[in-house]
Amino acid sequence: MVLDPAHGGTDLGARGTEGIRESEVLMAFAAQVRRALEAQGFQVLQTREGNENPSFDDRSARANAQRGAVFITLHIASTGLAGTVRTYVMPEIPVVRDPSGLIPWDQAQAPFQTLSHKLGDMVQAELAKRFKGSPDTAQIAPIRQLRTTAAPAIAVEISSVSVEDRADLDRMVPGVAEAIARGVAAFRPSYVVPVMPGTPMVAQP
Amino acid sequence: MNSSWRIWLFGGLLAAVIAAALYFPALRRQVYKAKTLTEKTAEQARRELLPVAPVDTGEPRVKAKMFWGSGESDGTLVPVTIDLPLSSDPTLRAKQILNTLLAGPVDPEVRTLPPDAALLAFYILPDGTAVADFSESLANSIPSGIQSEQLAVDSITRTLEANVPQVKRLKILIHGQEVDTLAGHLDLSQPFQVSGAPAGAPPRSSISILTAPVKKAYERVKGAAKR
C-alpha cells in the first residue's frame, strides 16, 4: 500500500477560514489510515513522512517501483457538504505504447483503470455506510496525481477545511480510515496485476 | 564682427549640431522604449482587470444555456437559460458565452469561477480542439480541491457543449502557459472532452427564468457591452 498525504512544504493545500490547513491535517489523517491498513495485514509506505512536498512524479514513483501496489492519495476539500467523503478515479485513458513496448509515463494509469474503478467503488461503498450524504459509488475526475501512477489508484477527499472546528474533521478520520482499510481488504482477492508482455517497467521521461 | 568671433560662433554651432546628431538616435530609442512599455503595461492591466464583455453584434438574441453551481454544496451544476445576442461565428460566440459565464452569477454559492478571473484569448483549431487562455486568477483564486476544481472545469466544458457545437475538445491555458494542474488537483495537461459525456454529475433540473443574481450579472454584462 502506498499512502499519499497530498501537498506539504510550502504547498499548504486547502485553507479554511478558521485556520485549518489541509497539509497538516492530512499527516494525522494518514497515520490513522496507515494503522487501519496495517491492522488488515498490509505493508504501508508513505510518499511523505513529514512536511516536505515531493513532486507528483516522485509520489507516483513510490508506487510504480513496487509490484502489486495499491495507491491512495488523501485530500481535504475547500468545499462540499461538511461530513461527506468522496472517492475519485481517473476517466478512461487510451492504452498507448511506444515502439519499444513501454507505456508512456503520463499514461501509466491506463492499464489499471478497471482495477482502480473496482477499488474506488468498494472503498466508496464503505464510506457511504459511515458518512451520510456521500455518494454510493466512486466519482470520475482527471486528477494529475493518479494519471502517472501504475497501480490501482484512487483519491479520497473529505469535506471540508471550511468547518468551524477542526475537531469535526478529526472525528471523521477513524471512520474514513476504517472504511478505506475495509474497502482495500475487500478488493485484495480480485487484484491480479495486469500482464503486459515486454513491459516490465513504466518509461519515466 | 571680427574674424575671431565668427570662428568661435561657427565652432559653437558646429559643436551643437554634432551633439544633437549624436543624441537624437538615443533620444528616439528612449522615447520608443517608453512608449512600448506604457502600451505593454496598459495592455496587461486591461487583460488582467477587465474581462472582455460580450459585444452586441446586432445578432438576434438566442437562448443560451449556462451551467452554474446548484448552490447546495454537493458539487452539482444546474443549467440556467438566458437570452443573449450571440454571434454565429463559433469563436466569437464561445468568447461571448465564456465571458458571460465568468461575469455571473454574483452569488458566491452559485459561482463556479473566481470573480476576478478573465478570458485572455480563445481560438478553435480545425480539428475542433478549442484553446482557452484564462488569467492567473482562475488558478490562484479558485478554492483548492478536487470537487471545486472539477466543478469549475465542468461548468466551462458543459456550457461550451450546450452553446458552441463546433468545440469538440478544450485545452485550458493559464496566462498563455501550459500548466500541470488547475489548483493542485485537476489535470490541465490534457484537453478536456467537450462533446460527449461530461466528467461531472448530470443536471438535475432546468431553470428557464433568470434568478435575481443571474439577472444582475447579465445586466452588468449588457451594460459593459453598450459602453
Side-chain angles (χ1 to χ4, degrees), chain B residues 15 22-23 38 61 68 81 86 96 105 134 145 153 195 211 220 223:
Chain B
L22 290 173
Y23 181 63
T38 308
R61 286 179 175 275
W68 280 308
T81 305
L86 291 181
Q96 292 169 326
F134 291 94
V153 171
S195 58
T211 58
R220 189 152 58 91

Side-chain angles (χ1 to χ4, degrees), chain B residues 48-108:
Chain B
E48 283 290 341
L49 297 173
L50 294 175
V52 182
V55 178
D56 193 338
T57 55
E59 300 281 348
R61 286 179 175 275
V62 296
K63 293 204 179 300
K65 195 187 280 186
M66 316 300 295
F67 283 85
W68 280 308
S70 66
E72 294 182 22
S73 303
D74 56 358
T76 55
L77 295 167
V78 172
V80 176
T81 305
I82 59 175
D83 287 336
L84 283 178
L86 291 181
S87 169
S88 55
D89 175 71
T91 303
L92 186 55
R93 187 183 182 96
K95 287 180 181 177
Q96 292 169 326
I97 285 290
L98 290 181
N99 282 320
T100 306
L101 190 69
L102 286 161
V106 290
D107 181 357

Side-chain angles (χ1 to χ4, degrees), chain A residues 37-179:
Chain A
L37 286 165
E38 286 173 342
Q40 293 279 350
F42 292 103
Q43 184 191 352
V44 181
L45 301 175
Q46 285 188 206
T47 56
R48 68 180 177 102
E49 301 284 349
N51 191 28
E52 64 270 24
N53 184 20
S55 69
F56 288 121
D57 286 341
D58 286 344
R59 293 171 196 251
S60 289
R62 290 286 280 170
N64 297 0
Q66 316 294 320
R67 182 170 170 79
V70 166
F71 182 92
I72 300 179
T73 179
L74 304 171
H75 295 262
I76 301 173
S78 304
T79 58
L81 196 61
T84 60
V85 191
R86 296 165 301 281
T87 301
Y88 291 92
V89 295
M90 282 291 283
E92 192 178 339
I93 312 171
V95 181
V96 179
R97 290 178 188 173
D98 71 16
S100 67
L102 296 175
I103 299 165
W105 179 264
D106 63 358
Q107 291 157 15
Q109 177 59 194
F112 296 89
Q113 288 174 107
T114 306
L115 287 168
S116 296
H117 280 246
K118 189 166 189 176
L119 170 65
D121 282 343
M122 287 177 158
V123 169
Q124 188 59 45
E126 293 290 333
L127 289 165
K129 287 181 198 169
R130 292 164 177 79
F131 300 98
K132 198 177 173 185
S134 303
D136 294 329
T137 56
Q139 309 293 291
I140 294 172
I143 297 166
R144 168 62 186 85
Q145 184 61 72
L146 301 183
R147 183 164 53 81
T148 50
T149 303
I154 60 173
V156 175
E157 187 175 67
I158 297 178
S159 286
S160 71
V161 293
S162 302
V163 293
E164 286 184 7
D165 187 352
R166 178 175 162 168
D168 294 339
L169 278 177
D170 293 340
R171 273 193 290 274
M172 292 178 71
V173 170
V176 176
E178 189 190 348

Side-chain angles (χ1 to χ4, degrees), chain A residues 7 14 56 75 78-81 86 88 140-144 147 155 157, chain B residues 73 143-148 150 180-181 184-187 189-190 192 199:
Chain A
H7 311 288
F56 288 121
H75 295 262
S78 304
T79 58
L81 196 61
R86 296 165 301 281
Y88 291 92
I140 294 172
I143 297 166
R144 168 62 186 85
R147 183 164 53 81
E157 187 175 67
Chain B
S73 303
S144 174
I146 299 168
Q147 187 188 53
S148 50
Q150 188 179 25
D180 226 13
T181 66
H185 302 86
L186 219 68
D187 188 359
S189 65
Q190 311 288 320
F192 292 92

Side-chain angles (χ1 to χ4, degrees), chain B residues 16-17 26 41 43 46 98 116 188 194 215:
Chain B
V17 168
T41 309
E43 174 63 9
R46 185 191 68 76
L98 290 181
D116 53 346
L188 291 194
V194 172
K215 189 171 182 179

